[in-house]
Amino acid sequence: MNNKVLTRTKHGIISGTLAGFAEYYGLRKSRLRLVFFILAFTGVGVLFYFLLWISIPSYSQRETFLDK
């Protein structure tokens, strides 16, 4: 049984989206933030970040997904 759930973390800089994403996939937060910072200049990073922010549930909803 896998107890990993992709949620935004409560210890993020803006919304915890990238921190939760990095934690789930085992990536370094600083590198992921750097990639999104660079992509933000093209507009793609901002759009992708917004989509992740909307689609990834908040940390407070984590228990709901673990119960399923």
Side-chain angles (χ1 to χ4, degrees):
M1 181 175 213
N2 187 3
N3 289 336
K4 283 176 85 172
V5 177
L6 178 58
T7 57
R8 295 185 310 243
T9 185
K10 55 185 172 182
H11 303 292
I13 292 178
I14 296 175
S15 70
T17 303
L18 292 181
F21 193 79
E23 186 178 302
Y24 184 80
Y25 288 107
L27 305 170
R28 290 186 176 181
K29 291 183 241 181
S30 59
R31 288 186 182 175
L32 190 60
R33 288 175 180 149
L34 178 64
V35 168
F36 271 84
F37 180 75
I38 293 169
L39 288 175
F41 288 107
T42 65
V44 175
V46 175
L47 178 64
F48 191 58
Y49 184 86
F50 183 70
L51 291 174
L52 285 175
W53 191 357
I54 291 172
S55 64
I56 297 175
S58 67
Y59 186 81
S60 62
Q61 297 173 342
R62 184 176 187 272
E63 294 300 321
T64 306
F65 294 104
L66 286 175
D67 291 339
K68 290 183 181 180

